[in-house]
Amino acid sequence: MSQSALAKEVAKRRTFAIISHPDAGKTTITEKVLLHGQRIQKAGTVKGKKSGQHAKSDWMEMEKERGISVTTSVMQFPYANALVNLLDTPGHEDFSEDTYRTLTAVDSCLMVIDGAKGVEDRTIKLMEVTRLRDTPIITFMNKLDRDIRDPLELLDEVESVLNIMCAPITWPIGSGKNFKGVYNLIDDEVILYKTGQGHRIQERDVIKGLNNPELDARIGDYAQDLRDQIELVQGASNAFDLEMFLAGELTPVYFGTALGNFGVDHMLDGLVQWAPTPLPRETDGATVVAATAPSFSGFVFKIQANMDPKHRDRVAFMRIVSGKYEKGMKMHQVRTGKDVRISDALTFLAGDREQVEEAYPGDIIGLHNHGTIQIGDTFTAGEKFKFSGIPNFAPEMFRRIRLKDPLKQKQLLKGLVQLSEEGAVQVFRPLSNNDLIVGAVGVLQFDVVVHRLKSEYNVDAIYESVNVATARWVTCKDERKLDEFRRKAEQNLALDGGDSLTYIAPTMVNLSLATERYPDIEFHQTREH
Ligand code: G4P
């Protein structure tokens, strides 16, 4: 394919994910985004906890039982002149390391905040992850159809808690029962809100110009209030700055209601206009691969097992970094040094799998995997580099795993190591005893692992509590000091599934004492594959 044709495809793409605290409205926004992307006819088909209808992205039986998303699905849709890839991220109590890793595979993020609640802890955590790559963030203040907090106070909170500057693009006119719409500060126009339109795409009801008398005619006293407020807002907040946005230093902010399907399209306009096209990626050789580089490359950020009980296979999710995927092409798997011909890569449309004929940088394709692909694997057209920046994240909860039948220790270890290669959980073997400790980022993963150990490895395992609060991978430039540390801190050291040395701390206080006591040792929250 010609260079200019590839560049054209790259220029169209925007690949993003949503970060939010549970219940802020991620699922509802996803649904409205798909409505605007004309991927679903009528909103309400993605999720309906109460109606018993399930999100199209709920694949596993376990998810259905619990009404939550275990899997990360990928959705592609056209919007304006762009082609948007939305990578869904498990969000409820039972989110997982995949949620974090997915954020390393996107070029921008949408942060959804419940306007009545403001910044909540999961959002803080997820923002930390986006900081690893300084990912550009767009903000959506949701639930304006309810009484929300003072908008200026919300922006202040984002700025101070999340340490990112806010540039309001739209500004709300009232909220709750008195929500009238928003004023777009850049376009100088008011877009009026109408209730009861949540399930369809609305024609925008626009009044041009803040000083337009029509505004007074339509919203009465709110018009003058708005003018006064905007004067204040323009003085008190930052103007949008594209460079700062792209550097992850400033976030454009939109207000609206996902349920009422108002404002989601304004946000999408901003996304296609400003969010980066597929970004270059760094490699271990410190070289950078641009999306428009002609030869194919990509990396695996997630492995999904048993998405469909009818196909008991695993699918590796690959983000294409450069070049073009064509059905039947040969790829070089750098870690194994093998060439593989791929003729059945998948695209995902919220659970529907389709075979893909061609795909471009920014797109996600699924590769069938019989255990030969690992998270972090790089595929190229033959080159030997490896993409960096697809880490393991330190687990946040831990349990000791024990066999019902002690004779199956070998299968248990094998199963756990394989499951940890898929990124479902991590496994730690303490240096000082024969325990096996499972660590996860989300609590549901513990159940997933027991379930899969039983069905795939025929091992019955149970959990016990264990006195571990957090883990850090440890390294030290000085071999001698590392040995000394290994001796002195043996009680708190373990090897992970890939045999990397890990400090497992019973409390956060213990961890901070250890970092003070051993200043030469580096404690890492992430580990590169
Ligand atoms: P999540 O994926 O971030 O967890 O949030 P989700 O979209 O499931 O939304 C959580 C709850 O908030 C849902 O209500 C949803 O209907 C509601 N919600 C989302 N956006 C808005 C909004 O703009 N305004 C209002 N008023 N509510 C909103 P639920 O009763 O918990 O669930 P459901 O039975 O309605 O699905």
Side-chain angles (χ1 to χ4, degrees), residues 23 25-28 47 92 142-143 145-146 257-259:
D23 284 335
K26 186 183 62 125
T27 311
T28 312
K47 193 182 79 169
H92 271 260
N142 192 25
K143 306 200 184 181
D145 59 320
R146 290 201 186 146
T257 156
L259 197 64

Side-chain angles (χ1 to χ4, degrees), residues 30 46 50 73 96 106 192 203 218 290 293 296 301 380 428 433 450 477 479 503 515:
T30 301
V46 172
K50 282 175 191 145
S73 59
S96 71
V106 298
L192 292 172
E203 287 253 326
R218 296 285 302 273
F296 173 87
F301 62 95
T380 66
F428 300 97
N433 60 45
V450 160
K477 292 195 182 79
E479 222 23 79
Y503 187 85
T515 53

Side-chain angles (χ1 to χ4, degrees), residues 88-126:
D88 187 23
T89 40
H92 271 260
E93 281 124 55
D94 306 310
F95 86 129
S96 71
E97 212 183 326
D98 282 337
T99 312
Y100 289 167
R101 217 161 8 238
T102 297
L103 299 181
T104 68
V106 298
D107 303 307
S108 58
C109 284
L110 170 65
M111 171 166 72
V112 178
I113 290 178
D114 181 331
K117 295 190 173 148
V119 177
E120 298 176 88
D121 27 307
R122 180 71 57 77
T123 309
I124 299 174
K125 192 85 222 180
L126 293 168

